[in-house]
Amino acid sequence: MDIQALVRELKMKTDSKIVFLIADGIGGLPVEPGGPTELEAAKTPNLDALAKAGVLGSMNPIAPGITPGSGPGHLGLFGYEPVKYLIGRGALEATGVGFKLGPKDVAIRCNFCTLDAAGNISDRRAGRIASEESGPLAIKLREVKIPGVEVFVEPVKEHRFCVIFRGEGLGGRVADTDPQKTGVPPLDPVAHDDASRKTAEVAKQFYAQAVKILAGQPKANGLTMRGFSAAPHIPSYEEVYGLKAAAIAVYPMYKGLAQLVGMEIVGEPNTLQEEIDVLEKEWKNYDFFFVHFKYTDSRGEDGNFAEKVKMIEQFDAIVPRVAALKPDVLVVTGDHSTPAALASHSWHPVPVLLSSPACRPDGCQKFGERETLCGGLGQFSAVYLMPLALAHAGKLGKFGA
Amino acid sequence: MDIQALVRELKMKTDSKIVFLIADGIGGLPVEPGGPTELEAAKTPNLDALAKAGVLGSMNPIAPGITPGSGPGHLGLFGYEPVKYLIGRGALEATGVGFKLGPKDVAIRCNFCTLDAAGNISDRRAGRIASEESGPLAIKLREVKIPGVEVFVEPVKEHRFCVIFRGEGLGGRVADTDPQKTGVPPLDPVAHDDASRKTAEVAKQFYAQAVKILAGQPKANGLTMRGFSAAPHIPSYEEVYGLKAAAIAVYPMYKGLAQLVGMEIVGEPNTLQEEIDVLEKEWKNYDFFFVHFKYTDSRGEDGNFAEKVKMIEQFDAIVPRVAALKPDVLVVTGDHSTPAALASHSWHPVPVLLSSPACRPDGCQKFGERETLCGGLGQFSAVYLMPLALAHAGKLGKFGA
C-alpha cells in the first residue's frame, strides 16, 4: 500500500505544529559485553521525561538489515520511500554543498584526475590534491561557456567537485566517464537514452574546454564524471502533507535534502543553541520544523563512544527550550544508527520518541534502545513516521465512513 | 504480497470453529496522566483469564497513523484490504440501513432539500427536517416508476435517505448533484464513464418524478444525490476462506457489512445476552461467527470514559458463555480504537486477544493496551488477523513442500 498517497488524500491543514528533532546517527551499540549503548550511557533527563509521558518505538529506515546513507535515511524520515525516490549521486553531491537543484538541472559528481603526456589517467584522484588547491581550480572551470546551457561548478572537497548543467531537454542518464583504472584515457560521455543525448554532448563540450583550462596543472590536469543525475522529482511537503515546513540545520547536505522535499531553509545557525534560537524566532511562521544535529553521527563515525555520549547529552540539554514552545507533536529520533563500535552507519533500528497529548503512553521510563523494544509504536518502517506524527497532530481525516 | 490470495490457495474445510467477539471501538486512551485506558480500568476477569492462556497483540486496522471508519475497520478485520475494497458512500448508506445490495445495484446517498419558487436550493438539508416527517416522504418516493429498473427507497434519518436502482448495465460512477451551496438548482446527474451513462439517465428520471411527488411540501420539496456507488465486488467468506459464516449483530450497519462479505445474518437480537443466545442456538450450523457489540464505540464517541468502562465489563461478563461452547479459536478485539478522551475513532492500535489450544502463550497476564505491547502476535496489520485465526483453527495447509 502506498501510505504516502493515502496520507495525501486524508491530510487536513490545521493550526497544530510538529517538530522533528533529529540527532543524526543516534542509534548505537554497546562497546562492552552487557554494557549500554551511547544513548543508554548518556545522562538524558529531559528525553527520559518525554519518554515517560510519551510513546517510544524502534524504526527501520528502509527495511530490516539495510543500512542507509544520509540521503535515503532522511527521505525515509520525511515519509518518502527511499527506494522509490532515489536521489542520484550527482544530485546528492550538489545537494551536499547546498546547491538548489531545479527541474531543468543535471548534476554531475566529478573528480579531478592526473593525465600523463599520452592523455592516459595516471592518478584517478589527482594525487589526493588538497582542498585549498582544488577549490580555486573548480571555480576556474566556471569559465566554460556552452551555448543554450547554464554551467555551474561547485568545489566539494579535495579531488571532488560538482558540475551542474541547466537547460532545456537535458535527461540525466549518461554513463560515467571514469574508466575505473589507470593507464587509459577518460571515456567519452555516452547517453543511456534519447532524452539524454543532448546532455552527453554538453558534457563532451564541457570536458574539452575544461582540459584546456586545466592544461599544465601539476596534479589536476584532467577530470572524470562519476555520477550524472537529473534533479529528482519529489512532491513537496506542501503538496503531500499540506504543511508549511521549515528546516534548521548547520550542514549544507541537510539543508539540501530538506530543500529537495520543499522545506524552506531558515536561519544561518552555527551551533545547536543557535538552531533553537532560529526555531523560537520562526515559531509562528511554519507548522512543521526539521531541526538537525550532526555531531552524534560524526562522533559515531569517528568510533568515539565517549564523545558521542557527550553529544547526546548536549542534544538532551536543548530539549526543554523546544518543549517550552509547546509543539502539538514532538518527535525525537535519527535518520539511522551510527554505532561508535562500528565507526559507520549501520542497519540497527533507530530509537524513536513521540511526545503529544494524543499519544497512548506505553509504560516506557526512559529513552534508550532496549526500552523502545516494548514501546507503543512497536518496530516500524520510517515511512510511517510522518503519518503517525500527522495523526497525533490531528491533521489526518478518517478513512472511509 | 496478497495475503488473502495466499490464504485462498491454502484454505481447507475442517470441523473447527472460529468466533470473533468484536467490541466496536474497544481501544482507548487514559484520561489522566499515568492513568489506565478504558480497557485497563475495566474489571475483566474473564478476558484476563483468556489473555493468560492465550496470546495478545496490537493491531493496526489499515496502517500506522490511519483512522478508519467502521466500514474499512470491519473489512480489515474480515481480512479484506480496506484500500483495495473501497465501499462507496452510497453503498455504505444502503448497508447501514440493512439493505442487501446485489451485483446489479447502484446505491445513492440522498438528502431532502428545500427549493424556492425559482427552483434554486434554499436549504440543503430541508430545514433539518425531523425523521418522523421525512420517513413517510422517502417511502412515498417508492411511487417512482422507471421502465427496466427496480427502484428502492429507504429512509435513513432526518434529511438523509437512500435510493437504490437495480437493473442491467448500471455503472456506479455518476457525479454528485449537490452543488454544495444554496441559491442555485441541483445539478443534473452526469456520468463519469460510458458504463454509467444509463445510471445518470435513470437518476434524471427519478429526480423528475420525485420533485412532482414532493411538490408543495413545505420543507422537503427537492432532493440532492450525494454519493453514487455500485455494490462493491467483494469475494465471499465461502470463496476466500471456505467458511460458512454467521453474523450476529444488533445494529443494521454491521449486518450490512457482514452481508457484503457473504456472511449470513442470524437471529434478531436486541441485547448482547440475546446475541449469545443466538450464538448458542446456531452453534452447529456454522464454522465462523462474527458477534458484534456496539456500545463500547458509542460511549467512546460520547466522550464518556466511565460508561465505556461499564460497557467493557458487560462485554467481559458474556465471555464464559462463549468459552463454554469451546470454539477452537476465540478472537476478542475491535475494529478500531474509539478513546473517550478524543470522543471519536482514532488511529491507535487495537488490542487483540487470540485464545486457542494451538497458540503460543506469551507471558501476558491480562487484556489491556500496555500488556499487548509484549504480546506474541506483535504489532500487525488487521489483514493478518484472519490468516492467524485460520492457522490456529488448523484450516490452512502448508505453503510449498
Side-chain angles (χ1 to χ4, degrees), chain A residues 260-273:
Chain A
L260 279 177
V261 301
M263 295 193 198
E264 280 177 45
I265 312 308
V266 293
E268 300 253 342
N270 293 305
T271 66
L272 184 54
Q273 293 285 359

Side-chain angles (χ1 to χ4, degrees), chain B residues 140-379:
Chain B
K140 217 171 187 310
L141 292 180
R142 291 177 184 166
E143 291 168 18
V144 171
K145 296 278 164 272
I146 299 170
V149 175
E150 275 183 272
V151 173
F152 303 88
V153 187
E154 300 293 341
V156 175
K157 186 177 168 172
E158 296 166 351
H159 52 283
R160 287 165 54 189
F161 63 103
C162 191
V163 172
I164 299 98
F165 299 142
R166 177 173 294 170
E168 296 297 334
L170 296 176
R173 302 195 59 225
V174 177
D176 291 359
T177 69
D178 183 348
Q180 300 285 337
K181 55 187 181 195
T182 55
V184 293
L187 304 164
D188 269 346
V190 171
H192 280 304
D193 58 24
D194 287 340
S196 310
R197 285 188 194 287
K198 182 173 170 189
T199 315
E201 264 311 302
V202 171
K204 240 173 150 171
Q205 293 181 47
F206 181 90
Y207 182 81
Q209 295 184 39
V211 286
K212 289 205 177 95
I213 293 169
L214 298 171
Q217 284 292 324
K219 288 187 192 156
N221 61 348
L223 63 128
T224 54
M225 297 168 170
R226 300 193 59 239
F228 284 74
S229 51
H233 291 297
I234 302 183
S236 71
Y237 247 58
E238 178 74 58
E239 280 184 69
V240 178
Y241 303 123
L243 290 172
K244 189 165 181 237
I248 307 171
V250 172
Y251 279 74
M253 159 80 85
Y254 308 97
K255 297 186 198 187
L257 284 166
Q259 266 175 339
L260 278 178
V261 302
M263 295 193 198
E264 282 178 43
I265 311 308
V266 293
E268 301 253 341
N270 292 304
T271 66
L272 184 55
Q273 292 287 357
E274 285 176 19
E275 290 186 68
I276 309 306
D277 293 342
V278 175
L279 179 68
E280 288 167 347
K281 180 160 178 269
E282 298 289 345
W283 188 246
K284 290 188 177 41
N285 300 329
Y286 299 90
D287 47 23
F288 180 95
F289 295 88
F290 158 55
V291 183
H292 181 268
F293 181 58
K294 176 68 176 162
Y295 298 119
T296 31
D297 178 66
S298 318
R299 300 295 81 82
E301 295 235 15
D302 291 345
N304 195 329
F305 188 95
E307 280 300 310
K308 185 177 169 188
V309 168
K310 283 195 184 144
M311 293 300 104
I312 293 172
E313 291 172 351
Q314 272 192 28
F315 181 70
D316 180 81
I318 54 90
V319 164
R321 288 180 67 190
V322 180
L325 294 165
K326 297 201 191 317
D328 300 87
V329 172
L330 172 52
V331 170
V332 182
T333 188
D335 53 339
H336 50 73
S337 293
T338 307
L342 299 177
S344 72
H345 294 194
S346 81
W347 61 94
H348 301 88
V350 196
V352 184
L353 185 166
L354 192 152
S355 171
S356 165
C359 73
R360 179 190 282 163
D362 51 17
C364 291
Q365 297 294 305
K366 48 192 172 109
F367 190 40
E369 287 87 341
R370 256 162 286 215
E371 198 75 354
T372 65
L373 295 179
C374 288
L377 300 178
Q379 211 175 99

Side-chain angles (χ1 to χ4, degrees), chain A residues 358 360 362 374 376 384 391-392 399 401, chain B residues 28 67 69 92 337 348-349 374 379:
Chain A
R360 179 192 276 164
D362 50 15
C374 285
Y384 293 108
H392 284 80
F399 176 80
Chain B
T67 300
L92 204 67
S337 293
H348 301 88
C374 288
Q379 211 175 99

Side-chain angles (χ1 to χ4, degrees), chain A residues 241-261:
Chain A
Y241 303 122
L243 290 172
K244 190 169 180 233
I248 306 171
V250 173
Y251 278 74
M253 160 81 85
Y254 308 96
K255 296 188 200 186
L257 284 167
Q259 265 174 340
L260 279 177
V261 301

Side-chain angles (χ1 to χ4, degrees), chain A residues 2-69:
Chain A
D2 188 341
I3 180 67
Q4 201 188 56
L6 190 49
V7 164
R8 194 167 179 161
E9 268 185 49
L10 301 176
K11 71 177 185 293
M12 304 185 300
K13 275 187 187 291
T14 68
D15 292 334
S16 55
K17 293 188 191 284
I18 299 170
V19 177
F20 272 27
L21 263 185
I22 303 305
D24 206 299
I26 191 173
L29 290 174
V31 284
E32 302 159 1
T37 64
E38 296 92 315
L39 178 57
E40 290 165 348
K43 291 183 187 41
T44 53
N46 301 303
L47 289 168
D48 293 346
L50 285 182
K52 254 200 193 126
V55 65
L56 299 190
S58 190
M59 191 173 71
N60 282 307
I62 299 177
I66 305 299
T67 300

